[in-house]
Structure formats: structure tokens, C-alpha cells
Amino acid sequence: MSSLHERRSRKSRLLSRDVIIMGLRFFWTIVVIWCEFGVFFYSLSDCRWPDKALKLPGSKDKPMRVLLISDPQVRNPFSSSMNSWFGYSSTGTYLRKSWSVVTRLHPQAVIFLGDMLASGRYVTNKEEYDLYYDEFKATFPLDASVPTYFIPGNNDVGLGESPSFSKNARQFYSDHFGPLNQAVSLAGHRLVLLDAPKLVEEDYRRHGLGMPYDLWTPITGGPIEFLNSIHAAEDRKHEPVILFSHIPLSRPSSRSCGPLREKGSIRAGAGSGYQNMLGKETTEFLLNSVRPAAVFSGDNRDYCDCVHPVRYTEHDATTENTIREVTVKSFSPARHIRRPGFQLLSLIPPQSASASSPTFADAHCLLPDNFRIFSSIYLPCITLTFIILLYLNVSPSRHKRRFSSLSPILLSPNSSRPPSPSRGPESAIWSTWSPRKLRVPVSPTTPLPPSLRVPNTKAAPALRASSSPATPQDSPLLSPITLFTPEDDGDDHMNPAQYISSYESQSRPASRDGEFDKRRVTPNAPFFLPPPNSSTRRNFSRSWSFVFWGRRRRMTISIPSFLAPGSWGVIKRQLTSRDTNPRSSRRRHSLVWRLASDSVSIALPAVLAWSVVGWLFF
């Protein structure tokens, strides 16, 4: 019996309020660390440099690894309004954590494909631009030993004419990020970094004058002049050329972008300060001038992989070829994409590869989905935590109100003291407990002895609380019980206030004149007190009785008390009622206060862990 009670006590301790609150604290600490930091590492678990596609047997040269980042769009914190402060904070935190994880891939070169700043074209003050650039460097701390290259985007330098654009945007950009057009050599490849917004503006002028590219005089220092110099270079045939442009090349709107795109395709469109793709004539001129082996672009925010057919004419010979273009996903969150991303590019010198093997390869990588983290993890966990806290703070109070007025009573005639928690139940009259030696439960079938019936006498001794040890003859079940009539004076000793019985309603029927009708009173009818744990409330439960190890067992499955019909009405009245009673007002406020204090105590360790992990590793 003691072992059974110990197991029940152990189970009750495991389900106690303190243990549940501690478990919720630990649970939320794990959830916050995983959702805020762990998912970034997990998203890169299948992201690998595409070196295997370039490594040849017997070659000692290792591929050069280049990281491609598109559209970071760091916001200007000094011009953000209060309405966009939270958006700026969340985006900046996401960019910092993403960059901290991506740099653990140890790239040997980094290329930003434009739109480094979300509103660089609107900054007219040099001091403000300096602070804006410092914010970009704080978000993307660059290693001085790793070469980093930038190409301008329409949000950096603007596109077209607008009174809101800064006239010094291009000058500010070149002073902080470097040249607008440049060509660099890495691992035997010529990387052409193009100023695509300026190319669109020059194309507007050329098209307005109705002149073809063959007769057009390029603007000094413009992108067309830069492309002509690349075309005239003598060593372009010896080094494969890879073109980098912020704006994608022209293609039919019906052309598919591949299975890695989230939705839709790139469609032609233009507006104030933007253009979705280059013009058709500009694309043909660009591909014939540079003749790239591959093209990488940005601006669209979503991934796109397509092939452009080209036709070269040289020495009266026509050559048809295809050029692959990859539009890199945005590195920052956007409204029309769920998962940001980036691109990995591996380069190997042409002399280390055979004539038929490629000299470069790329791979697509994704970053975590913030919306899915909130909807699939945070929101269900918050709902579950609220239900648990509501149960812990509402159910015990209802339990106490129901049984707080009940005091212990001697139930067994064989015991002289109240049942002890360590000894278990000592009476089988009101309990499902049965002795260990009893293999099969036996229910009493004999009639009650005369000593247990209620005689009609007034000389019977009344039951009163006594401090002296009880004996079997003093047990309330072995003593005569007196049924008091309305003529009796004094207290009702067999119907104390702490016991709920139907004595008053059954034995004292009222008459028409306000007096009691003695004819309806049955003095010899026995009345029994209900057990202390009885309740008139309907309990929605299901019970099964069975015999296990020679003892009768009962298993009950019931819904929580706060889910029972009528319970939500009580909770709602406690939270929304406008009772002027100070006592009820204190109860209502205490429930809200308990929920709030428990929520803070659960969230505090998670916030502390988030701060420590973010400070140490990010």
C-alpha cells in the first residue's frame, strides 16, 4: 500500500505547478535559441561549394570560392520613422545573423550584385551618407584579407530622372563602394562588373534619337564605352568572361525560371526609378560585345535560371550558342518571397581543366523562412503555453473553493486517528480501495444492522468533536443517530455546516401557514451523509474498473475542469465583469496578474539566453 501511495505522490510531484513552470522555462529557452539561431545553421546544412564538379583526377589546383550576394538593402536607421522602426530592427537582425552564418563558409572573394542600400539614392548629405555606409559595414563586417567587389543598383544610384533623387548619389557611391564599372581577374577568369542602371539611361537616349548601337557615340565613362573596351581586349579569348549585372537580361515573359523559383517569372515592366529587365537590343549588344560564358544578375528578389540563345557573326561565319543566366535570390527578406538566399561560385583556372570540362560551377543556397518559423513554431507554442497557464491558474482556485470547507472525519471503526497520507485510505465504505488479500471485490449484500439505523429517540448522545482518542464504540457509524424535528432546540449536530446534505429539504416540508407539516416527516427514515468528495456537478468522464495484482483498480479519463461546460463562462465573467465588490475585483485582477507574472517568469530565461548567445556568437 505504501508503494502505491509513493508512486502516486511521485506522480503528483512531477505534475506540480513548480515543475510545470520550470519545464515551460526550459522549453521556451530551447525554442528561442533554435528559432533565432539554430535554424540559420540548419538551413546551411545542405549548402556546399560546388567544387566536386570541377575537381579533376590528378589536379593539384583547388577551386577559388566566390560568394555572390544580391539585394541586401540595408535600411537607413537615421531616416526611418517610428512606424518602420520594428521592420528595420527585424530586417537588420536577420541580415546580421545571416551574414555571420554565411561567412563561416570561408569565401575567398565576395561580390555584391547591387542594392546594398535600400535608400542610397535619396541621401543628399555626405555626412548622412557616411553614417549610412557605417551602418552597412556594421551589418556586413568585411574581412580585409578577402577581396570584395560591388556593382551599383537602382536603389544605390537611382535610375532615370526624379526630383527626389540625389544628384550626388553616384559620386557618394563611388567614394564608398568603388568604381561603377570594373573588370577583375580571378582564377583565370575575367569578371565584368557592369553599371546596369546607367546602361538603361544611355539606352533611353540612344532609342530616343533612333540610332543603332553601331552608330551610337558612347558617353565618356559610361557603360557602353566600357563594354566596347572589353570587346576590343586581346586576351578575351584566353580568359572565360563572366558578366555581373544588377538588372536581368531581356527574355520572353513566358519563359520559365526553373523549379527553384517560388512563383511566377520575370516580366517586362518599368516605372519611376526601376526597370525589371534590359531592353532586347541592349541585351543583344551586351552578349555580342562581352560574349560571356555565364551571366549573374539580381534585382528581381527571386531565383531564376534561364538560357539565352545567341548568334555570333565573325569573318562571315555565324556561330550559334547558348548563355546561361542566373538571377540570384535576395539576401534580405521580401514580401513576395518566403526564403531569402545567395549563390556560391567556384572557379578553376582553364589550364587546369581539360578541353571538355567546365571551368566554373555554381550552387544555390537558402536562408530561413521567418514567416514559417512564426506560424509553425512560435504561434502554436504560445497557444499551448497560454492554455497550460490558464489551467494552472484557474483550476486550482475552483478546486479550493469547492473543498476548502471540508474537514477530515473518522471513517473507519478500526482506527483511532484520521487517515494519514503516508498510509493510504483506511476505509472501503466511500473509497474504491480494497485490502490486498481480497482477490475479488465483494459488495455488501446483507441489510444494515440495527445499530446503523436511525431510531426515533431524543436521548441519543449527540456527535461532537472530541480531542480524546476514539474507540470503535465512539464511531459515528456505530452510534445511534437522532432525527431532530422542528421542535428540537439547539444546534443540529448531525447536519453541520461543512457537510452538504438534503436533510433540510426533505425532512422539513413547509405548510401553507408557514408551519411545518409533521405528517410529511418520516421519523424512522434513515438519512446518510454524502461522502466528502461528492459533487452535484456533472462530470464528463469515462471510467473503467478492473482487477490487477489481486486489487480492484479504476481508470478514469475526463476532460480538464476548465474545458467543462460552464467553466468558460465563469472565466469570462471573472475577466470581463464590472463588479464593484472589492473582493470579486481582487479575484479578477489576481487571475490576470498571475497569468502575467507567470508569462514574464517563463519568458525571462529565454530572453536572457537569447542575449547571451547573440552576444557570444553573432
Side-chain angles (χ1 to χ4, degrees), residues 450-464:
S451 60
L452 295 182
R453 298 181 181 179
V454 183
N456 187 10
T457 178
K458 294 184 180 180
L463 290 179
R464 296 183 181 275

Side-chain angles (χ1 to χ4, degrees), residues 83-287:
N83 295 332
S84 61
W85 185 87
F86 290 102
Y88 156 74
S89 178
S90 61
T91 302
T93 303
Y94 186 93
L95 292 176
R96 287 183 176 89
K97 290 187 289 188
S98 300
W99 179 254
S100 178
V101 173
V102 169
T103 51
R104 286 174 167 81
L105 297 174
H106 304 291
Q108 297 173 322
V110 181
I111 299 178
F112 285 85
L113 300 179
D115 280 357
M116 282 73 67
L117 307 179
S119 57
R121 57 185 175 181
Y122 299 111
V123 180
T124 58
N125 192 319
K126 186 179 184 302
E127 288 73 16
E128 182 181 351
Y129 202 96
D130 293 340
L131 296 176
Y132 200 174
Y133 179 72
D134 293 339
E135 178 69 15
F136 173 81
K137 291 193 301 182
T139 306
F140 295 91
L142 304 174
D143 190 354
S145 60
V146 178
T148 306
Y149 307 97
F150 305 91
I151 61 175
N154 58 304
N155 287 333
D156 297 319
V157 297
L159 192 155
E161 299 293 336
S162 176
S164 60
F165 295 165
S166 174
K167 297 180 179 179
N168 300 321
R170 291 185 174 274
Q171 183 63 40
F172 293 159
Y173 173 88
S174 58
D175 293 343
H176 294 82
F177 293 100
L180 297 169
N181 299 284
Q182 57 181 324
V184 296
S185 295
L186 293 177
H189 292 73
R190 176 66 64 89
L191 308 183
V192 178
L193 311 179
L194 179 65
D195 181 5
K198 190 65 176 180
L199 178 62
V200 172
E201 293 180 356
E202 192 169 355
D203 182 53
Y204 286 161
R205 297 184 183 181
R206 180 201 62 80
H207 185 74
L209 297 176
M211 298 180 62
Y213 276 98
D214 296 338
L215 303 177
W216 173 254
T217 302
I219 299 177
T220 304
I224 296 181
E225 184 182 42
F226 169 73
L227 292 174
N228 290 334
S229 64
I230 296 296
H231 178 70
E234 296 181 358
D235 57 347
R236 65 179 179 85
K237 294 183 180 180
H238 304 286
E239 291 183 342
V241 178
I242 299 179
L243 177 64
F244 297 90
S245 170
H246 177 68
I247 302 176
L249 304 184
S250 176
R251 83 284 305 278
S253 300
S254 59
R255 183 170 297 176
S256 174
C257 287
L260 297 180
R261 186 177 178 88
E262 293 190 15
K263 58 182 179 179
S265 61
I266 301 178
R267 300 182 179 274
S272 176
Y274 77 93
Q275 183 167 313
N276 292 341
M277 61 179 68
L278 299 177
K280 184 177 180 180
E281 294 182 7
T282 304
T283 300
E284 294 177 356
F285 167 75
L286 185 62
L287 296 179

Side-chain angles (χ1 to χ4, degrees), residues 14-55:
L14 291 176
L15 297 178
S16 63
R17 173 186 174 85
D18 295 338
V19 174
I20 293 176
I21 294 295
M22 186 62 66
L24 288 175
R25 292 171 183 169
F26 179 76
F27 170 75
W28 270 105
T29 301
I30 299 299
V31 168
V32 168
I33 293 177
W34 172 255
C35 294
E36 297 298 326
F37 307 107
V39 291
F40 288 89
F41 292 97
Y42 179 76
S43 64
L44 300 183
S45 59
D46 57 347
C47 183
R48 298 288 184 272
W49 292 96
D51 297 344
K52 294 183 179 180
L54 304 176
K55 191 173 182 180

Side-chain angles (χ1 to χ4, degrees), residues 449-464 472-484 492-495 523 525-529:
S451 60
L452 295 182
R453 298 181 181 179
V454 183
N456 187 10
T457 178
K458 294 184 180 180
L463 290 179
R464 296 183 181 275
Q473 300 299 328
D474 297 330
S475 174
L477 296 181
L478 299 179
S479 302
I481 301 175
T482 303
L483 180 62
F484 292 93
D492 187 356
H493 302 288
M494 280 306 297
N495 192 36
F527 290 90
F528 293 94
L529 296 177

Side-chain angles (χ1 to χ4, degrees), residues 313-610:
T313 302
E314 189 174 3
H315 303 294
D316 298 334
T318 302
T319 304
E320 295 183 356
N321 196 3
T322 57
I323 298 176
R324 177 172 171 261
E325 179 188 2
V326 175
T327 301
V328 182
K329 256 198 171 186
S330 172
F331 194 76
S332 64
R335 290 178 295 179
H336 59 283
I337 61 172
R338 296 287 297 272
R339 299 191 64 180
F342 56 94
Q343 203 78 6
L344 301 178
L345 177 64
S346 296
L347 305 173
I348 193 171
Q351 58 271 16
S352 300
S354 61
S356 60
S357 61
T359 60
F360 64 92
D362 63 280
H364 176 58
C365 297
L366 296 175
L367 293 172
D369 181 3
N370 264 348
F371 179 79
R372 185 176 181 182
I373 292 174
F374 176 79
S375 61
S376 301
I377 301 179
Y378 276 136
L379 191 59
C381 291
I382 290 174
T383 304
L384 179 62
T385 303
F386 176 76
I387 293 175
I388 294 175
L389 292 181
L390 192 63
Y391 174 77
L392 292 178
N393 289 280
V394 174
S395 181
S397 61
R398 297 178 70 246
H399 182 81
K400 290 179 180 179
R401 289 197 302 270
R402 183 182 298 176
F403 303 118
S404 59
S405 61
L406 299 180
S407 58
I409 184 171
L410 298 178
L411 301 178
S412 175
N414 299 325
S415 176
S416 59
R417 53 183 178 177
S420 175
S422 62
R423 298 180 58 187
E426 296 185 2
S427 175
I429 297 177
W430 293 342
S431 171
T432 58
W433 175 84
S434 59
R436 180 179 297 272
K437 295 182 179 180
L438 190 60
R439 294 296 180 179
V440 180
V442 179
S443 300
T445 58
T446 60
L448 292 173
S451 60
L452 295 182
R453 298 181 181 179
V454 183
N456 187 10
T457 178
K458 294 184 180 180
L463 290 179
R464 296 183 181 275
S466 175
S467 59
S468 60
T471 63
Q473 300 299 328
D474 297 330
S475 174
L477 296 181
L478 299 179
S479 302
I481 301 175
T482 303
L483 180 62
F484 292 93
T485 58
E487 290 80 6
D488 297 333
D489 295 332
D491 297 334
D492 187 356
H493 302 288
M494 280 306 297
N495 192 36
Q498 67 266 26
Y499 286 88
I500 304 173
S501 69
S502 57
Y503 171 82
E504 195 71 34
S505 60
Q506 296 182 10
S507 64
R508 295 177 177 264
S511 64
R512 306 169 192 173
D513 302 333
E515 298 181 355
F516 291 97
D517 190 357
K518 300 180 181 179
R519 293 175 299 176
R520 298 181 60 185
V521 178
T522 307
N524 296 327
F527 290 90
F528 293 94
L529 296 177
N533 59 351
S534 64
S535 176
T536 59
R537 182 183 296 272
R538 182 181 179 183
N539 186 20
F540 291 83
S541 61
R542 184 77 176 179
S543 301
W544 295 269
S545 298
F546 55 95
V547 177
F548 183 70
W549 281 3
R551 299 173 59 183
R552 176 172 291 276
R553 310 287 182 175
R554 175 178 290 272
M555 181 174 63
T556 303
I557 299 177
S558 60
I559 62 175
S561 58
F562 65 89
L563 293 179
S567 299
W568 285 109
V570 176
I571 299 172
K572 184 178 179 180
R573 287 194 300 270
Q574 289 180 354
L575 296 177
T576 61
S577 62
R578 298 181 179 180
D579 193 359
T580 57
N581 188 357
R583 182 174 300 177
S584 62
S585 178
R586 284 195 298 270
R587 284 200 302 266
R588 182 173 66 254
H589 291 308
S590 63
L591 174 61
V592 177
W593 175 256
R594 289 196 303 269
L595 289 174
S597 60
D598 289 342
S599 301
V600 172
S601 66
I602 292 172
L604 187 59
V607 173
L608 182 61
W610 175 81

